[in-house]
Amino acid sequence: MSAHMEQLRLPSDFNRRLRNLHYVDLWKASEFKMFVNSNVHNLLHVYEELYRYGDLSTISAYPFESKLHEIKQLVRSGRHSLVQAVNRLTELQRVKAARISKTETTDSRVTGFTLRDNFRDQCFMTFGGCIFLYKGAQQVGDTTTTQGCQFSQQAPFFLHPYPSQNLNIYSANMRDLNHAIVNVFCDNVMCKLAAVETITED
């Protein structure tokens, strides 16, 4: 306890004088040794640790202890505990990989919206002005690409009173769809387009 805190006359549950940490050596040889626990030990060395290693957040062991607790939950008995932990972690990685693989074949989340392999939710436009039909997604390492088929041409749906292309409203014909799969980086996807089927007279 600092000299400033001693002057504050803090309330105490015991009718005893508040002591600072300089009395720890005396406590060890008296009945007060029961109060010398790990917290007191940390307080004795906290200044040295901060001076030597820097901010407490950079040397805290809480993340390690939290992860260690998760690993302990994977162990069911005391026999071959390391093997059990490795097997459980391997199983979890396989399940996670299977879920990602299953999700990527149906849905793709891009910058706040979701593309799906159905008529209404599968159209999207790139920053280059190209319109695609979503077919799937693929992840290679840390890079995720969206797969789709590109329309060879599209036209404004209306010109009056305001050109529809300025509102990202276009008309496209399924006959102009190129069925070759094209990989598009997610950063190049500008927006999702809601598809509305119309009937045109040939």
Side-chain angles (χ1 to χ4, degrees):
M1 187 170 62
S2 65
H4 175 69
M5 293 185 67
E6 288 181 352
Q7 296 175 0
L8 293 178
R9 296 183 180 180
L10 297 174
S12 175
D13 294 335
F14 302 96
N15 189 19
R16 291 178 181 149
R17 178 184 174 186
L18 296 176
R19 306 283 183 175
N20 58 38
L21 294 176
H22 295 294
Y23 286 85
V24 172
D25 292 335
L26 299 177
W27 292 351
K28 292 179 180 179
S30 66
E31 70 274 10
F32 296 110
K33 61 184 178 182
M34 68 180 67
F35 298 112
V36 184
N37 53 23
S38 59
N39 292 331
V40 175
H41 177 79
N42 291 334
L43 288 174
L44 289 174
H45 299 283
V46 65
Y47 174 79
E48 299 173 5
E49 301 295 329
L50 288 173
Y51 183 79
R52 181 180 301 177
Y53 301 109
D55 190 4
L56 280 177
S57 61
T58 62
I59 60 175
S60 174
Y62 285 120
F64 167 77
E65 293 178 357
S66 177
K67 189 63 178 180
L68 188 62
H69 175 72
E70 295 179 8
I71 296 176
K72 286 183 178 180
Q73 297 299 315
L74 304 176
V75 179
R76 300 174 182 174
S77 66
R79 185 179 181 184
H80 303 302
S81 57
L82 180 59
V83 176
Q84 293 182 57
V86 172
N87 290 338
R88 298 296 87 74
L89 289 173
T90 303
E91 292 172 0
L92 291 174
Q93 290 176 353
R94 290 176 180 173
V95 171
K96 183 178 180 181
R99 289 178 178 175
I100 293 176
S101 177
K102 182 178 179 180
T103 303
E104 288 176 350
T105 58
T106 56
D107 299 352
S108 178
R109 296 186 180 275
V110 183
T111 59
F113 54 85
T114 302
L115 298 172
R116 294 187 175 90
D117 191 8
N118 59 57
F119 179 77
R120 184 172 179 81
D121 298 320
Q122 68 177 154
C123 294
F124 65 93
M125 175 179 284
T126 64
F127 284 99
C130 301
I131 297 178
F132 290 82
L133 284 185
Y134 172 78
K135 294 299 181 181
Q138 183 179 18
Q139 183 171 359
V140 179
D142 296 333
T143 304
T144 302
T145 57
T146 301
Q147 298 176 326
C149 298
Q150 181 180 354
F151 283 95
S152 59
Q153 60 181 353
Q154 66 263 3
F157 189 70
F158 55 83
L159 297 175
H160 182 79
Y162 191 76
S164 65
Q165 65 266 28
N166 294 339
L167 303 173
N168 294 329
I169 300 176
Y170 293 90
S171 174
N173 197 311
M174 294 299 294
R175 290 178 297 186
D176 297 325
L177 181 65
N178 187 348
H179 293 280
I181 300 296
V182 179
N183 291 324
V184 180
F185 289 104
C186 292
D187 294 339
N188 195 29
V189 178
M190 183 180 70
C191 64
K192 172 183 175 181
L193 301 176
V196 178
E197 186 176 4
T198 59
I199 300 176
T200 58
E201 296 181 359
D202 294 334

